[in-house]
Amino acid sequence: MLLASKWEAGFDLVRLLLGLVRVALMAMPDWVRYPVLALGGALLVYEVVTRGRTWWRARRKPLGES
């Protein structure tokens, strides 16, 4: 019997987590849900900008510098 691939297991895990988050958010009142979503979005944007800035600085650094 052939087992599911690692990618399929990963996709299933992501779908499960998103479903749990969706259920949790729908159970919240609107005045709680929207600030939680805004905070999560802000954290995501911050993480992307920080990693991009670090990557860009590492690319621009000459070979001799540390």
Side-chain angles (χ1 to χ4, degrees):
M1 187 172 207
L2 183 63
L3 297 175
S5 72
K6 292 179 185 178
W7 284 102
E8 288 179 30
F11 287 138
D12 288 342
L13 183 62
V14 168
R15 283 182 28 211
L16 174 66
L17 291 174
L18 288 176
L20 290 173
V21 168
R22 184 176 173 199
V23 168
L25 284 175
M26 291 302 126
M28 293 180 186
D30 287 344
W31 63 273
V32 175
R33 183 181 326 146
Y34 296 134
V36 167
L37 288 173
L39 181 62
L43 286 171
L44 181 65
V45 168
Y46 173 78
E47 188 67 28
V48 167
V49 168
T50 302
R51 287 184 188 260
R53 185 179 60 208
T54 304
W55 174 80
W56 184 255
R57 286 181 181 168
R59 261 189 84 204
R60 293 189 53 169
K61 190 180 295 185
L63 288 173
E65 288 185 26
S66 55

